[in-house]
Amino acid sequence: MASCSRAQVISLYRMLMKESKKFPSYNYRTYALRRVKDGFRENLHVENPKTLDMLINQARENLAVIKRQVSIGLLYSVQRTVVEREPHL
């Protein structure tokens, strides 16, 4: 597989972030967002094309998993946590 351009990596990052924000559960949502940010930050300086291709493929697989989990999560109602509730004035 050919190496991905910077624009493709940024696009994949944005798709992962966008999908992660769709989790109905606060805990899953914050966990997924944190993992995406940390994963990309951790591999920011990878130069090896083979390693880069492996990481991109892994991110695409993770995107598919997140999409499946979000759709499963939307099938069930979730009670909002105290953190998510609107303040009573």
Side-chain angles (χ1 to χ4, degrees), residues 1 4 8-9 12 14 22-23 25 29 38 47 59 65 67 71-72 74-75 77 82 86-87:
M1 176 178 240
C4 291
Q8 289 172 325
V9 173
L12 182 58
R14 287 183 179 155
K22 293 180 182 178
F23 273 109
S25 171
R29 186 172 53 251
D38 290 346
E47 299 280 333
V65 168
K67 285 181 177 182
S71 63
I72 290 170
L74 292 173
L75 295 174
S77 64
V82 174
E86 296 291 323

Side-chain angles (χ1 to χ4, degrees), residues 5-89:
S5 69
R6 180 175 171 82
Q8 289 172 325
V9 173
I10 291 171
S11 174
L12 182 58
Y13 175 79
R14 287 183 179 155
M15 286 189 291
L16 282 160
M17 293 297 286
K18 185 177 178 181
E19 284 299 315
S20 295
K21 289 177 183 177
K22 293 180 182 178
F23 273 109
S25 171
Y26 173 80
N27 291 326
Y28 288 126
R29 186 172 53 251
T30 55
Y31 174 77
L33 290 168
R34 186 174 61 245
R35 289 286 297 169
V36 169
K37 287 178 189 175
D38 290 346
F40 274 81
R41 200 174 292 136
E42 192 176 294
N43 297 302
L44 184 63
H45 301 291
V46 172
E47 299 280 333
N48 186 347
K50 288 183 181 180
T51 305
L52 196 57
D53 283 341
M54 182 197 66
L55 290 168
I56 294 299
N57 288 333
Q58 186 178 16
R60 286 184 180 135
E61 291 171 7
N62 287 339
L63 178 61
V65 168
I66 289 172
K67 285 181 177 182
R68 281 194 304 271
Q69 289 303 118
V70 166
S71 63
I72 290 170
L74 292 173
L75 295 174
Y76 304 98
S77 64
V78 176
Q79 187 175 9
R80 295 180 76 172
T81 63
V82 174
V83 177
E84 295 177 293
R85 292 194 182 129
E86 296 291 323
H88 296 285
L89 299 175

